[in-house]
């Protein structure tokens, strides 16, 4: 019998990454990528992965040096009190707004695709309530929940793929490079924030049992998430063809509405709604927990669990402020968060690495 | 604490009741028809609403009508839903709609794309609803359908629209394909073409009809055969049953796989051969885009089963005659196909065979593809068609019965 140490292992960490990033196939993320990548949108996650792998390796080097410290503590050590606070603050803002905007995005999807009459605030309350319930149990419970739910969620996606397969046309992926390689690389750089959670999860580094667990978990988790993102983007393109797919909000749910088992068993989207909501609630549970962690370590507060409820409430109130999906997603998330966040994730590890080198020289 | 738990569980469990809907309170629209209105910003909407009580063995609804049909003018399809509730007491629901009927008159107007586009915003409308173009008014078409074998109209629609797969006389046309094709806008979209009215009757072969031309007596007056051709989202012409079948076999992905057709007998022209036409392999389409005009080579693999030879010629054991038949049929099919391709080039100036889906493979970036301009090159393209014919079977009997002998009263 293992004694609970509040830490998680490889498989839990894999589940955390696969759920937080993988879940993006079913929200509005495809709609933000497809205008840039056009028929080759499915290449964007792959190119983005290649771009972030270097910075990520640097980040691991830095984190390994300060084994027991988490990302924010490392930032304070290497960058000093003031600059450190600034960087930590930027990361917190990114974390906080990601959680707020994405959770609000979920509400929009439920409201426009499924429950038209239910007030937005009630849907939001239920999603965030569930997420808070999970986050409140602590990291171990979150990890275990994610690990438990992961196989069922992926199985439901597999069934989804099998059912839609008869509508798939491979021809729709051509011309293979879409807008051209140069545009694709530019788009992938700008949109590399779609894998941003991968960096944000680095704050859990000391809470994963071994360094090896962390690196292995990262690679497997990222692998699963990227394959999933790419595959589903390709699937949307193969079913709807560009440019029609660009105009469909939430292609995941549009496909769920087409699915049928034979001629007579149709209208199956309710089944997929269930799995999708479970994914969402776990995803936001993880995000809430991370937000609280960033907040408390930024302000050097030792206990962060009591902060969960006030932060959740704040997210709930702020999340209800934007008027509609256009403002939340296309203005805030696309222009501010995704394109503004990309340089942070790409350059922060490099800066930290350089700073940590300097630190070592000073120590000598 | 107990109170808290009760309150929270109520919130969780009863939260779903906001959007509750009772089946008893719903009116399920199974067919919608739209016609041109008196003014350009108006359409005439027809809803066929199913009556779930009709046709049950016992109970109060036993003798009720299977459906209620209402027709009224409305500014667009979305607001028509509320307007219909001025006469229907139940809440109108589109989630089980099977067909969307559009009159040819409306389909040919310039604003048709916008009219239909607004419909897809309706949350309940499903993309796999079949799109049918009726030669007469859509309201008349829906009223005229009178299936004798089916008690409930929705089943008739379900079964009828599924028949395309077996016969190939009508294309596979759903709203999904309509939107997809009209936005990519490289090839034309084909829709099911239908009517209940009588047009000039004629007897040709089994498949060269447009709807309303088959001499059909008794039963349901409806006829679905042939297809309406759309260009830029607007109807521009029609193909008859045979042309629709050929179109489907020219498409790269095999669509209708097995159809029954007749061809004239090469050795005894007074008779026709009944043939099972099997096309399961992909049609191969090769492009030579360096040539001007664009060169397109099409290879159509076809398997045939000879089912009936009324003339009594022995095509089965006589290899020489079989070879002759094969050559004859190859040439015949090639000629028919090329004639159809030329018609689409000259008359429609757009390709209904989805060849652009193969053509886009020739390019690496979208800009290159757009620069080539497929839509303008197709009408002038130099198309060559070769048919790879193989006779794979002879139905259930090996040799035709010796009809002459039997007629003479001898033993066969």
């Amino acid at each position: 019998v293992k004694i609970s140490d509040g830490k998680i292992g490889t498989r839990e960490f894999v589940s955390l990454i696969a759920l937080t990033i993988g879940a993006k196939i079913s929200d509005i993320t495809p709609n933000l990528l497809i205008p840039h990548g056009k028929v080759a949108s499915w290449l964007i996650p792959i190119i983005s992965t290649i771009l972030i792998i270097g910075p990520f390796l640097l980040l691991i080097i830095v984190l390994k040096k300060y084994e027991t410290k988490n990302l924010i503590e490392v930032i304070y050590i290497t960058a000093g009190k003031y600059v450190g606070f600034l960087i930590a603050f930027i990361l917190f803002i990114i974390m906080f707004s990601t959680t707020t905007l994405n959770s609000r995005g979920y509400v929009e999807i439920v409201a426009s695709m499924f429950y038209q009459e239910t007030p937005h605030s009630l849907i939001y309350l239920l999603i965030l309530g569930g997420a808070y319930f999970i986050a409140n149990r602590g990291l171990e419970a979150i990890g275990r929940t994610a690990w438990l739910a992961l196989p069922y969620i992926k199985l439901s996606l597999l069934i989804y793929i099998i059912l839609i397969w008869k509508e798939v046309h491979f021809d729709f992926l051509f011309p293979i490079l879409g807008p051209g390689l140069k545009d694709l690389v530019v788009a992938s750089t700008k949109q590399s924030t779609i894998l941003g959670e991968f960096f944000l999860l680095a704050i859990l580094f000391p809470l994963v049992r071994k360094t090896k667990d962390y690196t292995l978990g990262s690679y497997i988790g990222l692998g699963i998430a990227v394959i999933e993102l790419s595959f589903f983007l390709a699937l949307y393109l193969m079913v709807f063809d560009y440019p029609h797919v660009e105009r469909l909000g939430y292609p995941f749910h549009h496909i769920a509405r087409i699915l049928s088992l034979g001629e007579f068993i149709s209208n199956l989207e309710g089944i997929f709604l269930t799995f999708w909501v479970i994914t969402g609630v776990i995803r936001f549970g993880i995000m809430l927990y991370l937000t609280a962690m960033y907040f408390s370590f930024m302000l050097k507060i030792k206990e962060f669990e009591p902060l969960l409820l006030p932060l959740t409430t704040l997210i709930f109130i702020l999340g209800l402020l934007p008027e509609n999906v256009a403002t939340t997603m296309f203005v805030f998330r696309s222009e501010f968060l995704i394109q503004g966040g990309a340089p942070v994730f790409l350059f922060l590890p490099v800066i930290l690495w350089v700073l940590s080198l300097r630190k070592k020289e000073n120590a000598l | 604490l107990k109170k808290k738990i009760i309150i929270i569980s109520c919130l969780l469990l009863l939260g779903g009741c906001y959007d509750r809907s009772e089946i008893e309170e719903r009116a399920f629209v199974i067919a919608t028809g739209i016609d041109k209105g008196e003014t350009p910003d108006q359409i005439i909407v027809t809803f066929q609403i199913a009556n779930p009580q009709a046709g049950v063995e016992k109970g109060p609804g036993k003798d009720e009508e299977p459906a209620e049909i209402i027709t009224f003018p409305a500014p667009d399809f979305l607001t028509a839903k509320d307007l219909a509730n001025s006469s229907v007491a139940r809440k109108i629901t589109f989630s089980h709609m099977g067909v969307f009927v559009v009159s040819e008159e409306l389909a040919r107007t310039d604003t048709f794309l916008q009219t239909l586009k607004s419909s897809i915003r309706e949350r309940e409308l499903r993309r796999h609803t079949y799109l049918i173009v009726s030669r007469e008014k859509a309201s008349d078409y829906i009223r005229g359908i009178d299936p004798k074998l089916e008690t409930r109209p929705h089943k008739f629609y379900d079964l009828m629209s599924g028949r395309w797969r077996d016969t190939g006389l009508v294309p596979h046309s759903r709203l999904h394909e309509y939107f997809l094709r009209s936005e990519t806008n490289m090839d034309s979209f084909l829709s099911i073409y239908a009517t209940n009215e009588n047009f000039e009757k004629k007897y040709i072969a089994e498949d060269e009809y447009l709807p309303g031309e088959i001499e059909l007596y008794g039963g349901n007056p409806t006829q679905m055969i042939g297809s309406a051709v759309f260009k830029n989202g607007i109807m521009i012409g029609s193909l008859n049953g045979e042309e629709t079948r050929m179109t489907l076999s020219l498409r790269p992905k095999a669509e209708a796989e097995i159809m029954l057709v007749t061809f004239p007998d090469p050795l005894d022209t007074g008779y026709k051969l009944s043939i099972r036409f099997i096309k399961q392999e992909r049609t191969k389409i090769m492009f030579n885009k360096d040539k001007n005009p664009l060169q397109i080579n099409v290879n159509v693999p076809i398997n045939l089963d000879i089912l009936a030879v009324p003339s009594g010629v022995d095509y089965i054991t006589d290899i020489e005659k079989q070879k002759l038949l094969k050559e004859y049929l190859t040439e015949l099919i090639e000629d028919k196909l090329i004639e159809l391709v030329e018609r689409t080039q000259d008359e429609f100036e757009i390709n209904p065979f989805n060849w652009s889906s193969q053509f886009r493979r020739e390019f690496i970036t979208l800009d290159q593809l757009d620069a080539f301009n497929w839509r303008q090159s197709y009408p002038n393209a130099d198309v060559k068609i070769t048919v790879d014919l193989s006779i794979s079977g002879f139905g259930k009997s090996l040799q035709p019965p010796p009809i002459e002998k039997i007629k003479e009263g001898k033993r066969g």
Side-chain angles (χ1 to χ4, degrees), chain A residues 171-193:
Chain A
D171 304 322
F172 291 168
L173 290 182
F174 293 89
I176 194 87
L177 280 184
L181 195 61
K182 196 183 130 220
D183 285 16
L184 271 181
V185 174
V186 171
S188 309
T189 319
K190 277 190 182 166
Q191 311 287 330
S192 58
T193 326

Side-chain angles (χ1 to χ4, degrees), chain A residues 118 167 174 178 247 257, chain B residues 19 123 174 183 360 366:
Chain A
T118 314
E167 304 283 348
F174 293 89
R247 283 169 207 128
R257 298 172 68 79
Chain B
D19 277 84
R123 188 184 63 104
R174 302 174 302 177
E183 286 196 25
R360 53 202 280 182
L366 275 172

Side-chain angles (χ1 to χ4, degrees), chain A residues 38-39 111-119 122 125-126 166-181 239-245 247-248 254 256-260 263-264 266-269, chain B residues 11-12 14-20 81 91 95-96 117 120 122-128 130 155 158-159 161-162 165 172 174 176-177 179-181 183-184 252-253 282 357-358 360-361 363-367 369:
Chain A
K38 304 202 164 79
V39 287
S112 58
M113 298 298 284
F114 298 97
Y115 297 106
Q116 284 189 310
E117 283 165 30
T118 314
L122 183 69
L125 191 68
L126 289 174
K166 61 178 189 288
E167 304 283 348
V168 160
H169 301 265
F170 285 101
D171 304 322
F172 291 168
L173 290 182
F174 293 89
I176 194 87
L177 280 184
L181 195 61
V239 173
F240 293 120
D241 198 7
Y242 177 84
H244 184 49
V245 63
R247 283 169 207 128
L248 295 171
H254 275 279
R257 298 172 68 79
I258 304 181
L259 296 181
S260 65
E263 296 258 319
F264 295 106
S266 59
N267 300 27
L268 294 169
E269 71 266 23
Chain B
L11 193 69
L12 282 172
L14 299 177
C17 294
Y18 255 104
D19 277 84
R20 78 202 173 280
K81 194 176 171 182
K91 192 176 175 198
S95 57
H96 289 71
K117 265 260 98 136
I120 202 72
E122 165 61 43
R123 188 184 63 104
E124 285 171 352
L125 190 74
R126 277 160 199 277
R127 306 172 60 89
H128 51 203
Y130 280 92
K155 193 153 185 197
D158 272 1
L159 294 170
S161 345
R165 206 186 297 275
H172 188 33
R174 302 174 302 177
H176 177 65
E177 276 91 15
F179 288 119
L180 204 135
R181 295 258 157 73
E183 286 196 25
T184 310
K253 205 172 178 174
R282 288 179 73 93
S357 67
Q358 303 301 305
R360 53 202 280 182
R361 285 175 181 258
F363 296 90
I364 294 175
T365 66
L366 275 172
D367 289 343
L369 175 65

Side-chain angles (χ1 to χ4, degrees), chain A residues 339-355:
Chain A
Q339 306 200 1
V344 178
F345 293 122
L346 290 176
F347 294 120
L348 180 69
V350 184
I351 295 169
L352 282 183
W353 182 65
V354 173
L355 286 174

